[in-house]
């Protein structure tokens, strides 16, 4: 996750420069101090990347899953599987493109675009690009991934994603350093009771290696922090409402409990979805979705995301 402390520092008021020479000098001095502080902060951040595990933080960029608290490793069956659990790709009924966007407090921009293409029933391939940058363009991270999933036995699906990482940090216009590497995600999904109950296990960054190159210093390597998530999802048919379903999901991600639910109902104007979730260490989430024809729109409100405030997440799905 790119860190944009420079943006925070730059919001400090700079004295207005008027025709008075003393005011001009004061303004120039204040601006110089701000630039110096920002430069020192970015240098410190880049030096600490190797030990803080801050690089390439796992940010989930699809609003549908986040609306139910992120408890989606067992339930995913769309392009969200590229992030939550690649095994879920094997359940895709049709070809799909997914796009997600998050503006985090005006400091960081995150984007996701992915495509999933079923080859035949129970076999799907997919690809995605995830990127993030600060609003001043001083740093960026990018992940390019290729995924494949297959049905091994009855309702047992397995999936894998191969990822390429790249990152760069600049000091104003001067390059400070770059990094690149690779990683592997692995996931499993199993459905039973007429596919009304499913269990999912996902291991992001099961294998990884990153190489950092700072200018005027030797390169060094590190591995990303290994993560894990395991969950279950139950789909319940609503009595006397043939087109309506209720989804309940529970998951534990890196030791953090997640719980959520979705009520999906059909109408003449399309299909609507209402979502609620709770992340036990961060608080509530909520969202809604609308799908008509080959387009689906989703929104999620997420509380306590990353830095203890609120943020909104938008995503679009296109079926073709």
């Amino acid at each position: 996750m790119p860190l944009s402390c420079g943006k925070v520092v730059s919001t400090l008021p700079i004295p207005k420069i008027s025709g008075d020479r003393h005011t001009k000098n004061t303004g120039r001095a204040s601006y110089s101090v701000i630039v110096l502080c920002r430069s020192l902060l970015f240098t410190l951040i880049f030096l600490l990347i190797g030990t803080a595990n801050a690089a390439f933080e796992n940010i989930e960029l699809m609003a549908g899953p986040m609306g139910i608290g992120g408890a989606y490793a067992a339930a995913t069956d769309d392009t969200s599987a590229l992030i939550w659990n690649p095994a879920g790709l094997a359940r895709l009924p049709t070809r799909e493109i997914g796009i997600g966007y998050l503006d985090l407090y005006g400091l960081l921009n995150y984007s996701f675009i992915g495509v999933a293409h079923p080859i035949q029933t129970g076999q799907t391939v997919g690809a995605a690009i995830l990127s993030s940058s600060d609003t001043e363009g001083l740093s960026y991270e990018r992940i390019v991934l290729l995924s494949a999933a297959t049905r091994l036995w009855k309702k047992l699906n397995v999936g894998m994603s191969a990822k390429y990482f790249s990152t760069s940090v600049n000091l104003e216009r001067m390059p400070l350093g770059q990094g690149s590497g690779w990683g592997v995600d692995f996931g499993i999904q199993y459905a039973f009771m007429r596919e009304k109950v499913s269990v999912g296990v996902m291991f992001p960054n099961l294998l990884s290696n990153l190489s950092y190159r700072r200018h005027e210093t030797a390169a060094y390597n590190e591995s990303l922090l290994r993560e894990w998530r395991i969950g279950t999802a139950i789909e319940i048919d609503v009595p006397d409402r043939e087109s309506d379903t209720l989804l309940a999901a529970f998951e534990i991600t890196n030791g953090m409990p997640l719980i959520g639910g979705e009520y999906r109902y059909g109408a003449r104007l399309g299909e609507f979805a209402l979502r609620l979730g709770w992340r036990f260490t961060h608080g509530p989430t909520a969202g809604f979705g609308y799908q008509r024809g080959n387009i689906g729109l989703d929104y999620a409100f997420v509380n306590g995301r990353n830095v203890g405030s609120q943020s909104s997440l938008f995503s679009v799905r296109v079926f073709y």
Side-chain angles (χ1 to χ4, degrees):
M1 165 181 166
L3 303 176
S4 188
C5 294
K7 176 66 175 180
V8 177
V9 175
S10 65
T11 59
L12 294 174
I14 298 176
K16 182 179 179 181
I17 299 176
S18 65
D20 183 79
R21 179 175 299 178
H22 176 73
T23 305
K24 287 183 178 180
N25 292 336
T26 303
R28 291 194 186 102
S30 299
Y31 183 77
S32 299
V33 170
I34 291 171
V35 172
L36 177 60
C37 290
R38 185 167 59 183
S39 300
L40 292 174
L41 281 172
F42 269 95
T43 302
L44 180 61
I45 288 167
F46 196 82
L47 290 174
L48 292 177
I49 282 177
T51 58
N53 290 313
F56 301 103
E57 184 177 351
N58 189 25
I59 302 294
E60 296 93 351
L61 289 176
M62 292 297 280
M66 287 309 300
I68 62 171
Y72 212 56
T76 181
D77 58 358
D78 51 27
T79 47
S80 300
L82 293 164
I83 303 174
W84 261 270
N85 188 349
L89 292 172
R91 300 170 59 186
L92 258 70
T94 186
R95 296 170 294 181
E96 182 179 321
I97 296 173
I99 302 172
Y101 178 77
L102 169 65
D103 182 359
L104 197 59
Y105 323 125
L107 300 178
L108 302 174
N109 299 316
Y110 294 89
S111 63
F112 163 85
I113 181 168
V115 59
H117 187 101
I119 301 174
Q120 60 184 42
T121 302
Q123 292 185 352
T124 300
V125 295
I129 298 176
L130 299 90
S131 61
S132 59
S133 63
D134 67 280
T135 55
E136 293 187 347
L138 297 178
S139 62
Y140 81 87
E141 290 179 356
R142 183 172 294 115
I143 303 174
V144 179
L145 66 84
L146 299 176
S147 301
T150 187
R151 180 163 297 168
L152 282 186
W153 175 75
K154 293 184 178 180
K155 304 301 180 181
L156 176 64
N157 303 323
V158 298
M160 181 176 294
S161 295
K163 303 185 292 187
Y164 174 76
F165 304 100
S166 61
T167 183
S168 176
V169 177
N170 301 314
L171 187 59
E172 297 298 331
R173 295 184 178 181
M174 181 180 68
L176 180 62
Q178 299 86 33
S180 62
W182 58 271
V184 175
D185 297 343
F186 179 75
I188 302 172
Q189 266 190 358
Y190 180 69
F192 53 99
M193 295 184 65
R194 298 181 181 179
E195 296 193 66
K196 297 297 183 181
V197 181
S198 58
V199 176
V201 181
M202 163 67 162
F203 298 100
N205 305 321
L206 181 62
L207 299 172
S208 66
N209 182 267
L210 295 174
S211 176
Y212 291 103
R213 302 173 299 279
R214 293 199 300 267
H215 292 279
E216 299 180 358
T217 62
Y220 66 95
N221 296 333
E222 70 169 9
S223 297
L224 288 175
L225 183 66
R226 290 188 178 91
E227 302 180 41
W228 58 273
R229 58 174 70 219
I230 179 171
T232 184
I234 303 174
E235 185 177 297
I236 304 170
D237 294 326
V238 179
D240 302 322
R241 297 283 297 179
E242 184 177 347
S243 61
D244 295 6
T245 58
L246 177 65
L247 176 70
F250 175 78
E251 184 172 309
I252 297 178
T253 298
N254 302 322
M256 178 177 67
L258 313 172
I259 189 170
E262 175 190 76
Y263 182 76
R264 187 176 293 273
Y265 62 97
R268 289 188 303 172
L269 298 178
E271 186 178 68
F272 297 84
L274 298 176
R275 306 179 179 106
L276 288 173
W278 187 275
R279 300 185 298 165
F280 278 65
T281 59
H282 296 307
T285 69
F288 60 84
Y290 174 71
Q291 180 179 327
R292 184 173 185 180
N294 63 342
I295 297 180
L297 306 174
D298 294 291
Y299 166 81
F301 168 83
V302 183
N303 184 66
R305 189 181 186 89
N306 301 317
V307 295
S309 187
Q310 295 83 32
S311 58
S312 296
L313 180 60
F314 302 88
S315 61
V316 179
R317 293 186 298 143
V318 179
F319 314 97
Y320 67 100

